[in-house]
Amino acid sequence: MRKIIYATGLVLTMAAMSSCKKYLDIVPVGSVIPTTVADFKKELDAAYLLAELDKGLSSYRGDEITVNETRSRDVDVISNNFLWDENGPTKGQTYNWQTKYQKIFYANHIIEAAPAATGGSQAQKDQLIGEAHLMRAYTYFNLVNLFGNAYNETTAATDKAVPLITEVDMEKVARRNTVKEVYTQILADLEQGLALVNVDDFEVSQSYRFSKTAAWAMAARVYLYTHQWDKALNAAKAALEKKSTLVDFNNSNALPTLYNSIETIQAYEQNFNVITIQTAYVSDKLFSLYNTTGDLRPKIFYGKDSKGKNTVAKVVNSNSYRQSFRTAEMYLIAAEAAAQLNQPDVARNYINQLTQRRHTPVFHATEQIRLATLSGNALLQEIYDERFRELSFEGHRWFDLRRTKQPEIVHTLKGKTYTLKAGDPRYTIRIPMDAVANNPLLNE
């Protein structure tokens, strides 16, 4: 079983589980046993190619979207998530459980088998294995934040999350591991990945790959989510030391969410498809957070339809709109971590470096004065609001709500009002029903 199965273009196909309830299964289509660094590089490329749309779908659960109900057929695709009932009656888009474990399968095999690969330099082999560790870390990070409780130091050791599979074992039926166990694996893979990857930044055509800068950016995000403020600040600084460029909206309307943006650290994920982005209007709550005369982002990030509704321009359905990590997020992580460490001047400095490129000079001068008056919880709230403004529709908001205050959210659909209560258990998404049907241990 220790060979990777390839179809045309080296695509491995995962099948539904058989009656023997194997956790994962492989459909043989024609087989190639990778032996060289080039072979394993193709295997890793196949993992990079696997599409996921979970972050766009989960965005409907938060407060940045109102539904364009004129797209009546598409409303059914997203309504389960908009109503926090992901296993509900409507046959809509579901989460990519199998795809994530397919990526993990690739990563596991490369980590296990690639050390014996031939035909490349040691540096190339290290980079390849390092990328596999980072692929596994990032995939588990996304899994635990979709299907596990938000990280809480006091409960992480007992909160159930997702199964950890770190070896190629086709017969294994896996139980759910805890949030703490999953994060322990994520951090171990991050450490390994940072030690092995040796390419600081890839050329634009390969910007989807995990570089050293992308590894530091991922570390900053993981440390932020796990409340390791010192490490989050240091990792964000490390990423910014390697790349700190920002688009200045005073002299450019270039979208920072394009794969070839000067802000791109890693252009890996495309979070929305044509249905999920065109069925989204910008919520009044989000739009009202901008000063539409002094903040330059609304005119660049959004548009208007024929009815005057605010639409999304920054992440349209195109392969060119890909972002997993960009420099603006690093400034905001550094600001939040510094604020948590009671370093308000440091936090304000990072915010000002970003917003100077997003505001007109006159408005920015007044904002600097206002920002200087904020400290403590008020400064933190400003940083959360700035993340909302800057990172909207990039797959952050739902997870920011989960990891911070978990506030009450009210949605309206087809004339009815629905409420997610503060701290509601539905802030954690249930594991897809088809995954549970294939592995009943996921119910434990």
Side-chain angles (χ1 to χ4, degrees):
M1 298 299 291
R2 291 174 181 260
K3 58 185 175 183
I4 304 302
I5 309 302
Y6 295 89
T8 304
L10 207 74
V11 177
L12 178 151
T13 304
M14 302 300 294
M17 304 309 300
S18 65
S19 58
C20 64
K21 301 298 182 185
K22 293 178 185 176
Y23 185 66
L24 295 177
D25 201 359
I26 305 299
V27 177
V29 182
S31 37
V32 174
I33 301 175
T35 57
T36 68
V37 169
D39 291 338
F40 285 107
K41 169 63 167 56
K42 290 178 181 178
E43 183 181 344
L44 186 62
D45 283 343
Y48 279 122
L49 283 170
L50 291 169
E52 296 185 63
L53 299 166
D54 291 349
K55 290 181 181 176
L57 189 60
S58 64
S59 295
Y60 277 87
R61 306 174 74 87
D63 57 2
E64 64 188 327
I65 290 175
T66 57
V67 174
N68 178 0
E69 295 189 27
T70 64
R71 298 179 64 87
S72 56
R73 292 183 180 179
D74 295 339
V75 169
D76 289 340
V77 173
I78 56 82
S79 62
N80 284 348
N81 286 279
F82 191 66
L83 304 179
W84 312 287
D85 186 17
E86 58 280 348
N87 290 333
T90 304
K91 293 182 179 180
Q93 187 172 319
T94 57
Y95 292 92
N96 295 302
W97 179 271
Q98 276 191 327
T99 300
K100 286 181 172 59
Y101 279 97
Q102 189 174 344
K103 289 185 179 186
I104 290 165
F105 180 93
Y106 278 120
N108 288 345
H109 182 262
I110 292 167
I111 291 166
E112 179 181 294
T118 60
S121 68
Q122 188 60 49
Q124 289 173 322
K125 191 184 297 187
D126 287 346
Q127 175 67 33
L128 173 72
I129 298 169
E131 286 183 61
H133 277 286
L134 295 170
M135 170 74 74
R136 188 166 71 183
Y138 194 51
T139 305
Y140 274 124
F141 178 73
N142 289 333
L143 275 164
V144 74
N145 280 287
L146 287 165
F147 305 112
N149 288 354
Y151 185 84
N152 182 322
E153 291 88 340
T154 61
T155 62
T158 54
D159 289 337
K160 291 295 181 66
V162 297
L164 274 175
I165 300 175
T166 57
E167 57 186 10
V168 179
D169 184 349
M170 309 305 289
E171 305 299 325
K172 185 174 183 178
V173 179
R175 289 178 167 83
R176 297 173 71 184
N177 289 80
T178 66
V179 169
K180 183 176 181 179
E181 288 169 333
V182 176
Y183 270 108
T184 297
Q185 182 61 51
I186 291 167
L187 292 168
D189 277 327
L190 261 174
E191 184 177 347
Q192 284 291 315
L194 275 165
L196 290 169
V197 293
N198 46 68
V199 177
D200 279 350
D201 289 294
F202 287 100
E203 60 186 41
V204 171
S205 64
Q206 296 189 70
S207 59
Y208 59 88
R209 295 177 62 184
F210 286 101
S211 64
K212 180 75 80 173
T213 309
W216 279 120
M218 193 204 319
R221 191 186 293 176
V222 172
Y223 290 137
L224 188 78
Y225 276 50
T226 52
H227 313 151
Q228 299 180 71
W229 312 121
D230 278 314
K231 290 183 177 181
L233 179 56
N234 289 334
K237 285 180 178 179
L240 289 171
E241 284 174 3
K242 293 183 178 296
K243 186 166 189 175
S244 60
T245 49
L246 292 165
V247 180
D248 189 341
F249 288 176
N250 285 284
N251 52 46
S252 174
N253 60 0
L255 283 166
T257 47
L258 288 166
Y259 77 98
N260 57 355
S261 168
I262 64 170
E263 297 192 14
T264 297
I265 293 175
Q266 187 181 20
Y268 173 28
E269 295 161 292
Q270 182 182 355
N271 294 319
F272 289 86
N273 63 13
V274 64
I275 291 175
T276 52
I277 198 59
Q278 291 187 4
T279 313
Y281 282 139
V282 183
S283 73
D284 291 341
K285 179 177 182 178
L286 170 56
F287 202 77
S288 68
L289 283 178
Y290 299 96
N291 180 302
T292 53
T293 57
D295 193 323
L296 299 165
R297 285 172 291 196
K299 293 180 181 177
I300 295 174
F301 285 177
Y302 312 118
K304 288 190 181 293
D305 68 4
S306 59
K307 296 182 179 180
K309 297 283 189 178
N310 292 310
T311 58
V312 184
K314 69 184 295 196
V315 287
V316 300
N317 178 50
S318 165
N319 195 46
S320 296
Y321 291 75
R322 286 182 175 269
Q323 281 296 339
S324 289
F325 301 99
R326 62 184 179 97
T327 54
E329 184 194 356
M330 296 303 105
Y331 285 94
L332 291 166
I333 288 176
E336 183 177 342
Q340 292 282 6
L341 292 167
N342 196 27
Q343 300 175 19
D345 290 340
V346 174
R348 293 187 196 103
N349 181 54
Y350 281 111
I351 297 171
N352 282 324
Q353 288 184 70
L354 171 63
T355 56
Q356 182 181 7
R357 277 83 172 179
R358 304 308 196 233
H359 297 161
T360 64
V362 172
F363 179 63
H364 188 66
T366 63
E367 281 294 279
Q368 281 185 293
I369 295 171
R370 182 182 70 85
L371 192 63
T373 68
L374 302 180
S375 61
N377 288 334
L379 179 57
L380 271 174
Q381 185 58 54
E382 179 63 25
I383 294 166
Y384 298 151
D385 289 346
E386 192 55 48
R387 285 181 64 90
F388 199 8
R389 287 185 285 257
E390 176 65 29
L391 303 177
S392 63
F393 296 94
E394 295 179 49
H396 291 276
R397 181 59 177 175
W398 170 248
F399 301 101
D400 280 349
L401 292 171
R402 270 173 42 87
R403 71 180 179 84
T404 56
K405 299 179 180 180
Q406 296 193 3
E408 178 178 286
I409 302 174
V410 177
H411 285 170
T412 301
L413 186 66
K414 299 179 181 179
K416 292 185 177 181
T417 298
Y418 303 84
T419 301
L420 183 73
K421 296 179 181 179
D424 198 299
R426 291 174 293 173
Y427 264 105
T428 298
I429 298 170
R430 289 175 295 179
I431 292 174
M433 289 188 296
D434 58 348
V436 175
N438 291 328
N439 178 9
L441 294 180
L442 296 176
N443 263 330
E444 295 182 359

